[in-house]
Amino acid sequence: MARRYLRGSANPHRAPLRLALEEHVPAANPLSEAACAGTDTEVFFDGTPTATETAKRTCMGCPVRTACLELALERGERFGIFGGLTADERRALRRKGVRAA
């Protein structure tokens, strides 16, 4: 039965692999357009006042800032700057009852 399905294919031995890969390829990353994409992530986890301000400045103009923050809240990220907020600021949001959408 599989041969009939693959008949006419230029590379019939590769078709099952291609079909399997297509089923398991993850959806496009919604954060791929982030302002921090391609930058050194160390600044987002450094913790020094200078690094924190640099990271927050990067987040301020980011087109996916809200999605990043929601994801960090969903995952309970305990470290780093996500969506322009530090871990302490995210904890304060959670204490106030703010939940990810």
Side-chain angles (χ1 to χ4, degrees):
M1 187 175 281
R3 283 199 178 270
R4 233 179 323 154
Y5 175 73
L6 300 174
R7 197 175 293 159
S9 175
N11 294 312
H13 60 284
R14 292 186 181 175
L17 176 60
R18 187 187 75 244
L19 293 173
L21 288 175
E22 287 173 359
E23 290 177 15
H24 298 289
V25 173
N29 182 352
L31 302 180
S32 63
E33 299 299 318
C36 62
T39 63
D40 181 14
T41 57
E42 184 65 30
V43 73
F44 294 89
F45 295 92
D46 188 312
T48 63
T50 303
T52 299
E53 285 306 310
T54 301
K56 285 184 166 198
R57 217 174 307 119
T58 301
C59 292
M60 288 305 128
C62 183
V64 294
R65 179 178 176 212
T66 303
C68 180
L69 179 57
E70 289 175 354
L71 188 59
L73 290 171
E74 282 177 15
R75 292 180 176 177
E77 293 287 350
R78 295 177 18 193
F79 305 100
I81 309 288
F82 289 91
L85 299 180
T86 65
D88 290 338
E89 292 166 335
R90 291 191 305 275
R91 272 191 290 280
L93 280 179
R94 279 200 253 10
R95 279 194 298 269
K96 289 180 181 177
V98 174
R99 300 272 183 226

